[in-house]
């Protein structure tokens, strides 16, 4: 009996040791990583960097948000190692060396002030896609009544992004256009656009969802509200179109395709060519593996396991 216990114990120890050899912990890396780009990815990238540095204290990571366009410019010019990117990568950018790895997903949402004089009626009826086109593209809608089909002569003040932004590009793509086709007063950055809409009772704009919801309460932040999209064009927001009460509901709607795509979109980290810097590779692998546990709590949408495996293959 003693011999049997000894044999089993020995086998267990060998198994543990063998398992450890099969899945060794990554060795800490050292170096500097510079990241620039989309406001959409900034919050979760900060979280990923904080957690990665706990495992790799010899790595220094500098992160700055200036819009997706700036991120792409910085990475292609060699000023940044990684671009945070929030729209599809154009073929001409790929020709210049842009190498994208999808890391999560989110959406752009239309936003208004909580002080809008027609707030309650707008929440019930929403705005049809054509209404947004009339506001942001053709300019045919000058009042809230014309935009939303309600009895209101209140004017609409349209706001857009002044910087080259993935959010603006995704919103424009939803409306069948490009960012340069969008009308409105240009405002720099996602936080700036949210503030402009918040302060203007008759204003309308668009924001990345992480700038609309509070990450702790998961409720829409005080002052900026999402105006629902009347997806089926029936003049009212039905139960299956009403998923904005908290960020978890909206994330589920994006993940299941209830919320249209675009303006839902994949978010990317972009490098110039296939990454060769050990610290950059280690960070990207962390983001696509252990770092994914922070995606949902940060207000983003999980990529499927199959998609994550595909993105990891790009780093081999």
């Amino acid at each position: 009996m003693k011999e049997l216990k000894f044999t089993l114990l020995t086998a267990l120890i060998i198994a543990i040791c063998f398992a450890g050899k099969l899945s060794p912990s990554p060795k800490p890396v050292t170096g500097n990583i510079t990241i620039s780009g989309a406001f959409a990815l900034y919050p979760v990238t900060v979280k990923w960097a904080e957690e990665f540095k706990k495992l790799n204290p010899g790595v220094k990571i500098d992160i700055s948000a200036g819009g997706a366009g700036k991120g792409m410019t910085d990475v292609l010019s060699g000023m940044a190692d990684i671009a945070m990117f929030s729209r599809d990568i154009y073929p001409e950018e790929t020709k210049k060396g842009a190498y994208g790895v999808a890391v999560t997903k989110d959406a752009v949402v239309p936003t208004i002030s909580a002080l809008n004089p027609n707030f309650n009626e707008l929440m019930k009826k929403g705005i049809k896609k054509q209404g947004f086109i009339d506001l942001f593209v053709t300019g045919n809608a000058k009042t809230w009544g014309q935009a939303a089909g309600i009895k209101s002569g209140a004017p609409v003040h349209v706001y857009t992004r002044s910087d080259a932004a993935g959010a603006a590009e995704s919103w424009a793509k939803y409306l069948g256009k490009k960012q340069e086709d969008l009308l409105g007063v240009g405002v720099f950055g996602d936080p700036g656009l949210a503030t402009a809409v918040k302060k203007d009772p008759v204003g309308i704009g668009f924001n990345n969802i992480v700038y609309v919801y509070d990450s702790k309460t998961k409720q829409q932040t005080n002052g900026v509200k999402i105006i629902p999209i009347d997806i089926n064009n029936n003049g009212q927001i039905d139960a299956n179109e009403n998923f904005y009460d908290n960020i978890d509901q909206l994330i589920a709607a994006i993940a299941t395709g209830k919320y249209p795509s675009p303006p839902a979109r994949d978010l990317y980290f972009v490098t110039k060519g296939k990454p060769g810097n050990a610290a950059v590779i280690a960070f990207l692998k962390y983001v696509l593996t252990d770092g994914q546990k922070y995606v949902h709590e940060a207000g983003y949408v999980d990529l499927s396991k199959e998609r994550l495996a595909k993105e990891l293959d790009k780093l081999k």
Side-chain angles (χ1 to χ4, degrees):
M1 190 65 178
K2 287 184 179 180
E3 290 182 354
L4 178 60
K5 288 183 177 178
F6 178 78
T7 301
L8 290 174
L9 181 60
T10 301
L12 179 62
I13 292 172
I14 292 174
I16 292 173
C17 294
F18 187 63
K21 288 182 179 180
L22 284 179
S23 303
S25 298
K27 292 182 179 179
V29 294
T30 59
N32 297 324
I33 302 174
T34 304
I35 304 174
S36 169
F39 285 91
L41 263 173
Y42 181 78
V44 71
T45 301
V46 170
K47 179 64 176 177
W48 281 330
E50 289 174 349
E51 297 301 324
F52 182 74
K53 285 191 288 186
K54 291 177 183 176
L55 303 171
N56 301 272
V59 172
K60 181 183 178 183
I61 303 178
D62 293 321
I63 310 170
S64 61
K70 185 176 188 307
M72 181 62 80
T73 299
D74 286 350
V75 82
L76 293 181
S77 67
M79 292 183 64
D81 298 300
I82 299 173
M84 299 178 287
F85 211 63
S86 52
R87 62 163 171 77
D88 293 337
I89 300 169
Y90 297 148
E92 55 267 33
E93 293 167 335
T94 300
K95 288 181 180 177
K96 293 178 181 178
Y99 192 82
V101 176
V103 293
T104 183
K105 187 172 184 175
D106 82 337
V108 178
V109 289
T111 49
I112 63 173
S113 169
L115 300 176
N116 189 294
N118 308 293
F119 183 80
N120 291 333
E121 193 170 6
L122 289 172
M123 291 299 110
K124 293 178 182 177
K125 296 181 70 69
I127 293 183
K128 300 173 184 176
K129 185 175 183 177
Q130 184 59 49
F132 291 118
I133 293 173
D134 291 342
L135 286 168
F136 286 93
V137 179
T138 66
N140 289 337
K142 304 296 185 184
T143 68
W144 283 98
Q146 293 168 339
I150 61 176
K151 293 181 179 179
S152 173
V156 185
H157 297 162
V158 179
Y159 294 92
T160 186
R161 289 280 290 274
S162 62
D163 51 312
E169 191 66 33
S170 296
W171 184 243
K173 190 174 181 181
Y174 168 60
L175 304 179
K177 295 292 182 179
K178 293 186 176 181
Q179 178 179 354
E180 54 265 32
D181 299 316
L182 294 180
L183 303 175
V185 176
V187 181
F188 179 80
D190 221 326
L193 186 49
T195 300
V197 170
K198 175 183 176 180
K199 290 182 176 179
D200 189 341
V202 294
I204 187 170
F206 50 83
N207 287 97
N208 299 305
I209 59 175
V210 291
Y211 289 92
V212 179
Y213 290 92
D214 184 296
S215 61
K216 294 182 179 178
T217 66
K218 297 185 180 297
Q219 303 298 309
Q220 294 183 46
T221 54
N222 186 28
V224 180
K225 298 293 182 181
I226 299 172
I227 181 167
I229 299 176
D230 181 8
I231 298 170
N232 62 11
N233 295 307
N234 70 347
Q236 64 183 18
I237 298 302
D238 300 321
N240 62 353
E241 296 172 314
N242 188 8
F243 36 67
Y244 304 97
D245 280 349
N246 60 67
I247 196 168
D248 288 342
Q249 286 186 10
L250 181 53
I251 287 174
I254 296 168
T256 57
K258 286 185 176 180
Y259 190 79
S261 180
R265 72 291 172 69
D266 290 342
L267 300 175
Y268 299 87
F269 277 162
V270 177
T271 57
K272 187 175 184 181
K274 191 173 181 179
N277 180 310
V280 171
I281 294 172
F283 179 65
L284 293 176
K285 286 184 176 179
Y286 169 80
V287 166
L288 292 170
T289 53
D290 290 349
Q292 287 293 304
K293 61 188 173 188
Y294 302 108
V295 164
H296 188 83
E297 71 177 48
Y300 298 80
V301 181
D302 295 315
L303 297 177
S304 67
K305 291 181 179 179
E306 294 76 14
R307 181 68 186 278
L308 289 171
K310 181 180 178 182
E311 300 305 311
L312 271 172
D313 281 344
K314 293 181 180 178
L315 302 176
K316 292 180 178 177

